[in-house]
Amino acid sequence: MTQKSKGFVTERLQVASWKSALKEGAPRQKLVEELAIILTPDVLRYLPLPLHMPGGPQTIDRWISARDGESDVFTIRKHGPSALIGLLILAPFQEPDATRTVHLGYLFADHAWGKGFATELLQGLVAAQIEQGGPAKLLAGVGKGNAASAMVLLKSGFRLAVDLSNAETDMFRRDI
């Protein structure tokens, strides 16, 4: 997927680029308000430090700009008119051997945990990547204490990449 991607749908989820919500005014303000509800300390706990908000909720607008500058970001909503329940973050890059690779991350509002949304999201992402012909490799990092996210990746066909993991983070890989 690229920034031009329109996203994908699954049985229960609509995954769409957040580009239309980044325009100044009402769309951006709505996104800021929705993220203020979602980006709680529990949700941010296992994410890499650059994804944290050291200044608290008042820094959400800057957080949005930083994510948009480094990654392709997609909103996750249940079908129908629905509030935001999560984000999918894709950071494409080329490896030295020219392998097309995307580092992915995702987060869900705590009220959406334990309902199978993350597994459905990743399975939908893999299907969309296959349909679109790439990338060749998906990578996802999981903090050592986040067993639920590691399980979601394993259920979605990822495997632990010991050679890419370190003391704080397990890396998972899925070849397309």
Side-chain angles (χ1 to χ4, degrees):
M1 292 185 161
T2 67
Q3 288 184 348
K4 295 177 181 128
S5 175
K6 292 184 171 111
F8 58 92
V9 296
T10 67
E11 184 178 330
R12 299 180 295 166
L13 302 174
Q14 295 176 5
V15 182
S17 173
W18 74 351
K19 288 293 186 188
S20 64
L22 297 183
K23 298 177 182 143
E24 293 300 321
R28 189 172 182 110
Q29 184 57 38
K30 180 180 180 200
L31 180 62
V32 168
E33 290 168 6
E34 288 179 311
L35 287 173
I37 295 167
I38 290 176
L39 299 176
T40 65
D42 281 344
V43 169
L44 296 171
R45 175 179 41 186
Y46 292 115
L47 297 179
L49 284 178
L51 296 180
H52 287 225
M53 290 185 301
Q58 66 273 22
T59 62
I60 290 175
D61 198 58
R62 282 182 286 172
W63 188 93
I64 291 170
S65 295
R67 299 300 69 77
D68 189 53
E70 67 191 16
S71 305
D72 299 336
V73 182
F74 297 81
T75 58
I76 305 166
R77 297 177 188 278
K78 291 192 282 185
H79 285 293
S82 177
L84 185 69
I85 63 167
L87 295 176
L88 171 65
I89 303 169
L90 302 176
F93 62 94
Q94 289 284 131
E95 293 202 6
D97 67 358
T99 301
R100 291 174 299 140
T101 303
V102 171
H103 192 125
L104 72 95
Y106 55 88
L107 59 89
F108 283 91
D110 54 7
H111 65 79
W113 294 353
K115 297 180 177 161
F117 291 129
T119 300
E120 185 174 332
L121 172 73
L122 290 181
Q123 290 171 351
L125 173 65
V126 168
Q129 293 291 325
I130 291 169
E131 185 177 302
Q132 295 176 18
K137 181 172 36 174
L138 293 171
L139 295 175
V142 176
K144 292 281 188 180
N146 193 349
S149 192
M151 183 60 66
V152 164
L153 289 161
L154 291 170
K155 284 195 288 188
S156 300
F158 287 74
R159 61 181 169 73
L160 181 62
V162 177
D163 59 321
L164 300 175
S165 299
N166 61 37
E168 295 87 32
T169 304
D170 282 330
M171 293 297 294
F172 291 83
R173 175 182 174 155
R174 170 87 192 247
D175 294 323
I176 304 291

